[in-house]
């Protein structure tokens, strides 16, 4: 099998980013690719799209026939849209223009906060969103192999051979984007188990009045689930309601979710129950092994505060695509470029996010924080998911603490002097 990399090293190789599909591809064995991508979620499709549009030969494997259901709230925040391929409005069900956060306390003194400015969140059913992403990748020139499970990765000196339920292909690089429970990383040499937190997502048919109550805002509730939160997202004709917990070990999430529905007065006409895991810890073994790189949930990149994973899935995909463009067939350089950019733009930020998560997911610190500076916290989180600030900036800039301290002190005083 001729290697893409061998051919690319000649003088006629296109410059990265030229967008041209050049004759040099014609010399290749029909099953030789520049990049094989495993998994057609936001990470895999974004990588396939970004690479195919610069003229790379890309094959995209997806084990399911498409479109396929994916357990997910489908909340696509502004910072995610920045990294995903451009999408038509038809990829989404609804657009929520505000968010609200509620603290439910055992003593009944609940607190409610509103996002301060318009905080838009596109709400999608993942079958439709991911299908639109696949179409973007295929439209850019990627070759889709759906209903094709990858079940082997063999690293050779000049290439990687990807074995699937429908035969083998050779590629210069393999991007593993097979999600939170994918096994492909293990096939490629990663040995550590991949941990995720438990989450439930139920799709509810409700009466019009109930749907209308939730249609304008994404709603997040703390206090109903130990070390976790609950949410309600209004889709086009139903509600997506979910709970997650960061607590390890046994959890009674289904009971928590039933209790949450009862507390909000939601009486579903029909319920479709789904559950899955969300990986909130990056892999200790890193995201690069020679010609193989991990993206998105496969690398453990979901946000430890919000547990949303689409932003970093698409962002990591762009970083890997960029590294391949810039590193070309220099494997060490490509790996180093991806490792460095991932560290600088995502992993470093996740360290700061984990500090915020520690405060938010412990009942005592959460109640202390939200009762004093709940509005400011919601404003800060709104800016983070909108991509206008970062956890690092939030925690490092002294003006935030000064503002919090002053407002917190004022509020504590007014509580103390209340009759
Ligand atoms: C209940 C719940 C609610 C969530 N809500 C949100 C939310 O509102 N907003 C948000 O941003 N994030 C949310 N997330 C997280 C989000 O779903 C993930 O972080 C995101 O899907 C990760 O994208 P990915 O492309 O890395 O993986 P995935 O989207 O999981 O895609 C992986 C793909 O790989 C395929 N695959 C797996 N193994 C193989 C194989 N061997 N061969 C071929 N294909 C394979 C799978 O079929 C799948 O299509 C939620 C998660 C859960 C569980």
């Amino acid at each position: 099998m001729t290697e893409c990399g061998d051919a690319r090293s000649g003088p006629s190789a296109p410059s990265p980013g030229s967008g041209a599909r050049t004759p040099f591809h014609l010399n290749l064995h029909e099953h030789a690719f520049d990049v094989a991508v495993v998994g057609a979620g936001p990470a895999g499709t974004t990588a396939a799209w970004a690479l195919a549009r610069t003229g790379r030969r890309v094959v995209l494997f997806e084990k399911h026939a498409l479109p396929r259901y994916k357990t997910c709230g489908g909340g696509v925040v502004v910072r995610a849209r920045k990294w995903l391929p451009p999408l038509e409005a038809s990829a989404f069900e609804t657009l929520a223009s505000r968010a609200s956060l509620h603290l439910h306390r055992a003593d009944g003194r609940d607190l409610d906060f509103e996002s301060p400015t318009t905080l838009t969140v596109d709400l999608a059913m993942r079958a439709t969103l991911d299908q639109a992403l696949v179409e973007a990748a295929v439209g850019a020139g990627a070759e889709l192999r759906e209903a094709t499970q990858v079940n082997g990765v063999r690293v050779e000196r000049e290439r990687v051979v990807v074995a699937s339920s429908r035969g083998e292909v050779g590629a210069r690089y393999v991007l593993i984007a097979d999600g939170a429970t994918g096994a492909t990383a293990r096939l490629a040499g990663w040995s550590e188990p991949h941990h995720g937190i438990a989450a439930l997502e139920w799709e509810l048919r409700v009466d019009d009045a109930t749907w209308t109550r939730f249609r304008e805002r994404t709603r997040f509730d703390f206090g109903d689930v130990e070390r976790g939160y609950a949410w309600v997202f209004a889709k086009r004709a139903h509600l997506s309601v979910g709970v997650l917990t960061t607590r390890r070990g046994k959890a009674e999430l289904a009971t928590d979710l039933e209790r949450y529905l009862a507390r909000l007065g939601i009486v579903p006409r029909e319920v479709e129950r789904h559950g899955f895991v969300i990986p909130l810890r990056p892999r200790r073994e890193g995201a690069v092994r020679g010609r193989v790189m991990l993206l998105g949930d496969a690398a453990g990149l979901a946000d430890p505060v919000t547990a949303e994973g689409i932003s970093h899935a698409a962002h990591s995909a762009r970083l890997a695509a960029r590294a391949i463009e810039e590193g070309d067939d220099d494997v060490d350089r490509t790996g180093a470029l991806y490792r460095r950019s991932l560290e600088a733009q995502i992993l470093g930020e996740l360290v700061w996010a984990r500090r915020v998560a520690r405060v938010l997911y412990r009942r005592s610190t959460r109640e202390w924080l939200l009762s004093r500076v709940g509005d400011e916290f919601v404003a800060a989180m709104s800016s983070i998911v909108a991509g206008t600030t970062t956890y690092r900036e939030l925690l490092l800039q002294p003006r935030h603490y000064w503002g919090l301290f002053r407002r917190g002190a004022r509020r504590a005083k007014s509580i103390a002097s209340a009759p």
Side-chain angles (χ1 to χ4, degrees), residues 146-332:
E146 61 180 299
T148 307
Q149 175 148 0
V150 168
N151 49 29
V153 177
R154 192 170 71 247
V155 179
E156 298 179 351
R157 216 169 68 83
E158 299 286 329
R159 64 177 185 164
V160 186
V161 177
V162 175
S164 78
S165 49
R166 298 192 188 193
E168 294 189 344
V169 301
R172 289 192 306 144
Y173 292 101
V174 174
L175 301 180
I176 298 177
D178 61 355
T181 56
T184 319
R186 193 165 40 76
L187 300 173
W190 274 264
S191 61
E192 61 180 309
H194 195 199
H195 291 296
I197 62 159
L200 298 184
E201 174 73 29
W202 291 1
E203 314 287 2
L204 310 182
R205 301 276 153 198
V206 292
D207 59 40
D208 289 350
T210 307
W211 180 84
T212 305
R213 234 183 337 128
F214 295 98
R215 81 174 163 196
E216 274 173 2
R217 303 172 159 63
T218 47
R219 177 184 174 120
F220 302 92
D221 285 89
F222 285 85
D224 294 273
V225 187
E226 199 186 334
R227 289 186 173 266
Y229 72 87
W231 69 90
V232 184
F233 295 169
K235 303 289 173 67
R236 194 172 294 136
H238 75 282
L239 301 179
S240 286
V241 182
V243 286
L244 61 81
T245 179
T246 60
R247 183 168 167 246
R248 286 185 190 272
K250 200 166 170 291
E252 304 288 346
L253 283 183
T255 310
D256 291 339
L257 188 38
E258 296 278 9
R259 208 181 301 122
Y260 177 59
L261 294 179
R263 187 171 76 76
L264 297 193
I266 300 174
V267 183
R269 289 178 169 164
E270 273 174 52
V271 184
E272 212 184 282
R273 295 178 170 80
H274 301 275
F276 202 55
V277 293
I278 310 176
L280 302 188
R281 269 208 175 265
R283 287 178 183 267
R284 281 199 204 92
E285 291 176 345
V288 182
R289 286 175 80 89
R291 294 179 181 274
V292 185
M293 292 171 242
L294 306 182
L295 316 177
D297 275 8
L301 302 182
D303 184 311
V305 179
T306 61
E308 52 108 7
I310 296 173
S311 304
H312 291 153
H315 189 174
S316 61
R318 293 290 197 109
L319 297 179
R322 184 108 206 243
I324 290 172
E325 273 177 40
E326 288 180 8
D328 206 34
D329 204 32
D330 183 334
V331 179
D332 292 340

Side-chain angles (χ1 to χ4, degrees), residues 39 42-43 62-64 68 72-73 75 126 150 178 297 308-310:
E62 169 53 50
K63 70 178 177 185
H64 292 294
R68 55 95 181 91
C72 182
R126 286 288 302 276
V150 168
D178 61 355
D297 275 8
E308 52 108 7
I310 296 173

Side-chain angles (χ1 to χ4, degrees), residues 332-354:
D332 292 340
R333 187 166 130 73
T334 300
L337 283 169
Y338 182 49
R339 209 178 280 120
R340 272 206 301 271
S341 58
L342 198 64
E343 179 62 45
Q345 296 183 40
I346 299 181
L347 297 177
E349 176 67 353
L350 293 182
V351 172
W352 294 99
R354 271 198 294 283

